[in-house]
Amino acid sequence: WYLIGPFPGRHGRGLFENVRHPPEDAVLLDAVYYGKDKRLLRWEYVSETGYPLWPRDQDEDAIWYGYTEVLMDRERDLTMWVGADDDVQIHVNDRLVWKGGNVNKQWFFSTVYDTRQPYDRQYNRTEGMTTVRMRKGRNKIFFKLSNGPNKGFISIVLTPG
């Protein structure tokens, strides 16, 4: 993944109505932007085997963006399993395929945080799933993760449809 953030955000019922930041207009991996508290932000390549993906510079009331590409040998449907704290929007090939928000998943937060599982890699952090159409060749996956209080994370797992 390439990640960038934190950008300023806001907590509450309107997390999805957070302001747009430049990565939503175009993914320019060599660009530099002003982020939260006037920090200079650059896209950072992250190659981790940990689960789920935690942005390195955690912050409250903040937004992160992520970008990756998946190469396919043929056109096919895949199942995308998603989990995030708090709100997340996911685009595949510039088409919105997922929008999951805080107000829609109280059960998810109770399961993730109230059980106090000590083993994130083995714990299922999936809040839902959707089918995505992948084309032959290069497929772009882009997300916007909006976090309120505490730490934010995202989990995206692709499996055969």
Side-chain angles (χ1 to χ4, degrees), residues 32 68 157:
V32 178
T68 195
V157 177

Side-chain angles (χ1 to χ4, degrees), residues 83-99:
D85 178 354
D86 289 313
D87 294 356
V88 68
Q89 296 175 18
I90 303 171
H91 292 80
V92 174
N93 296 324
D94 301 318
R95 186 175 68 84
L96 181 66
V97 298
W98 183 267
K99 185 174 180 177

Side-chain angles (χ1 to χ4, degrees), residues 41-128:
L41 302 177
R42 292 175 173 79
W43 286 95
E44 177 184 2
Y45 179 71
V46 178
S47 177
E48 294 193 19
T49 58
Y51 174 84
L53 178 61
W54 299 84
R56 185 170 56 164
D57 295 326
Q58 289 285 327
D59 206 339
E60 294 188 346
D61 297 325
I63 298 170
W64 289 265
Y65 296 96
Y67 176 79
T68 195
E69 296 178 354
V70 177
L71 295 175
M72 302 298 294
D73 61 350
R74 63 182 169 86
E75 188 172 318
R76 65 186 342 173
D77 288 334
L78 294 178
T79 301
M80 177 181 282
W81 302 87
V82 178
D85 178 354
D86 289 313
D87 294 356
V88 68
Q89 296 175 18
I90 303 171
H91 292 80
V92 174
N93 296 324
D94 301 318
R95 186 175 68 84
L96 181 66
V97 298
W98 183 267
K99 185 174 180 177
N102 227 12
V103 295
N104 301 326
K105 57 184 180 182
Q106 184 57 45
W107 66 269
F108 176 69
F109 293 116
S110 298
T111 301
V112 169
Y113 292 114
D114 293 346
T115 58
R116 301 290 183 224
Q117 297 291 343
Y119 48 88
D120 284 340
R121 286 180 61 100
Q122 298 171 352
Y123 187 67
N124 181 1
R125 294 211 171 192
T126 299
E127 66 185 80

